[in-house]
Amino acid sequence: MHAAWGHRTVCGQVWAGLGPFPGKPGNPWAKLGVMDGLQDRKIILGVTGGIAAYKSPDLVRKLAAAGAEVQVVLSAGATQFVGVAALQAVSGKRVRQDLWDPDAEAAMGHIELARWADMILVAPATAHFIANLAGGQAPDLLTTLCVATRAPMVLVPAMNQAMWANSATQANRERLQQRGVRLLGPAFGEQACGDVGPGRMLEPAEIVAELDQQSSAPQQDLAGVRVLITAGPTREPIDPVRYITNRSSGKMGYALAAAAAARGARVTLVSGPVACTCPSGAQCIDVETAEEMYRAVMGEARDADIFIGCAAVADYRPAQAAPQKMKRKDASMSLELVRSPDVLASVAQLSPRPYTVGFAAETQALERNAGSKLKAKGLDLIAANLVGPKMGFDTEDNALLVLWPGGSKRLQRAAKSTLATQLMDLIVGRFKRVPRPIDMTGSD
Ligand code: CTP
């Protein structure tokens, strides 16, 4: 077991961090007390050649209404789907398309334009554009701006579901996220080609709301609050080379740790073996087995204000791990398994105890099974999700049903980073409302 202070997150979606920006009068949303994260932001909106490009004028209008100054840059393919005149009218700026346009370059050269931007937003972002960007290719004006800028980049992918699932596209997505490029969506649903699956562009209103939320300084409503989180799978050894484990990637637990740290919490993340990097501001403790996770958590739990059990802890482990590699002998063999400690239930039984949140991964009867776990383990709140092929485990997005004594809320399918923020909102709201029991056993 070792502890490490992390620097950045590579699991889930990475937000490059736009930092706070002061709101100014003039934004109609700001007057209502909402949407001032985009006030006076200079945004290059790149539009590439997908059918969703027809929504671009609406997106420009909504960005402008939120206070942003928008410069539209079209790829060659985009002009097949959206008119230059419409974009020019709504943005109030000449639309840029060509790296070799001498008039436009004389007004503001591409390097100047790349420096001008506070953010480059590409919506829709096609598989071709994503591949170019991942490969550092700059064959046109938009890709050149992306290579030349130091501004944060946000891509809103839109493509056929098979193109999105293609392993080359997924590898490109992963490379970009590891470089700090933020992705919004894609959403799941019916596509222009008739397919159903992930690949739809988020709606303009959703894009603007998401950007606004991320551009605003995160509320420090967990300042000083100690949050303990478990994540990932555990590995239960059979012999020195074999073990029992499960499909958990740790992405949700790491996204929750990042979301809590961004709100000012003092986060300790106890994690099984995963391919994620410790989130910035969190203290990470690496463990392998359920027993190690139990000991690490019980060592920290009394000092925690909130505990979130997000790990997929192995319920059973081999009664005895063979000291040497087991040899193939008989036609069949049996393993004797014994129960592992239930980390979550053990934390819930502490007195006093932290505000205790569990997860339930179910293949059926989600609400009933999660409701039973909430009661049986005596939790304050439980987040339940369906798991199965391409659902829940080792995926980029998820949907949650959140239950607490006397209430529930459905969180619609979204990126795990978005869900983590929404779940933290619920946890923070309830944590503040539910009074903590007073320790009657301790000395003064
Ligand atoms: N959990 C835990 N320790 C265990 C098993 C589960 O801390 N040994 C926690 C998980 O982190 C999760 C919650 O319990 O927050 C639910 O886990 P799950 O495996 O879905 O529930 P179980 O109680 O193990 O029930 P079952 O496997 O029968 O569905």
Side-chain angles (χ1 to χ4, degrees), residues 5-9 254 257-262 265 267 277-284:
W5 287 96
H7 305 287
R8 55 190 282 270
T9 312
Y254 277 66
V267 179
T277 307
C278 189
S280 178
Q283 186 197 5
C284 289

Side-chain angles (χ1 to χ4, degrees), residues 201-334:
M201 187 173 91
L202 294 192
E203 292 301 325
E206 292 173 303
I207 297 170
V208 175
E210 190 78 27
L211 292 177
D212 174 72
Q213 194 192 348
Q214 300 287 4
S215 300
S216 308
Q219 246 186 309
Q220 296 297 292
D221 51 6
L222 284 180
V225 175
R226 294 157 302 180
V227 179
L228 177 62
I229 300 174
T230 63
T234 61
R235 279 183 188 166
E236 311 302 327
I238 298 170
D239 67 14
V241 295
R242 303 178 179 97
Y243 52 79
I244 298 173
T245 190
N246 58 62
R247 293 179 187 279
S248 169
S249 63
K251 286 175 183 168
M252 191 67 205
Y254 277 66
L256 280 166
R263 300 168 95 125
R266 285 159 52 193
V267 179
T268 303
L269 178 62
V270 179
S271 174
V274 291
C276 304
T277 307
C278 189
S280 178
Q283 186 197 5
C284 289
I285 301 174
D286 294 338
V287 296
E288 278 217 12
T289 64
E291 185 64 41
E292 284 176 10
M293 185 170 276
Y294 172 79
R295 277 190 264 124
V297 166
M298 296 316 273
E300 302 279 336
R302 284 186 190 279
D303 292 332
D305 301 302
I306 297 175
F307 172 73
I308 308 175
C310 193
V313 189
D315 287 328
Y316 292 90
R317 64 180 155 79
Q320 244 153 17
Q324 303 299 334
K325 187 182 169 205
M326 290 163 76
K327 290 293 180 190
R328 180 171 24 148
K329 282 189 296 222
D330 304 324
S332 66
M333 68 171 287
S334 320

Side-chain angles (χ1 to χ4, degrees), residues 143-224:
T143 44
T144 302
L145 291 171
C146 291
V147 173
T149 193
R150 289 216 177 103
M153 260 183 279
V154 181
L155 310 187
V156 192
M159 66 195 74
N160 166 269
Q161 51 86 23
M163 291 172 76
W164 176 248
N166 182 285
S167 52
T169 308
Q170 287 304 309
N172 291 331
R173 171 195 59 72
E174 186 101 40
R175 275 171 90 182
L176 290 173
Q177 287 183 315
Q178 288 188 1
R179 284 186 217 149
V181 174
R182 163 99 163 134
L183 267 81
L184 299 180
F188 188 96
E190 200 172 325
Q191 306 198 294
C193 54
D195 280 5
V196 176
R200 281 173 63 91
M201 187 173 91
L202 294 192
E203 292 301 325
E206 292 173 303
I207 297 170
V208 175
E210 190 78 27
L211 292 177
D212 174 72
Q213 194 192 348
Q214 300 287 4
S215 300
S216 308
Q219 246 186 309
Q220 296 297 292
D221 51 6
L222 284 180

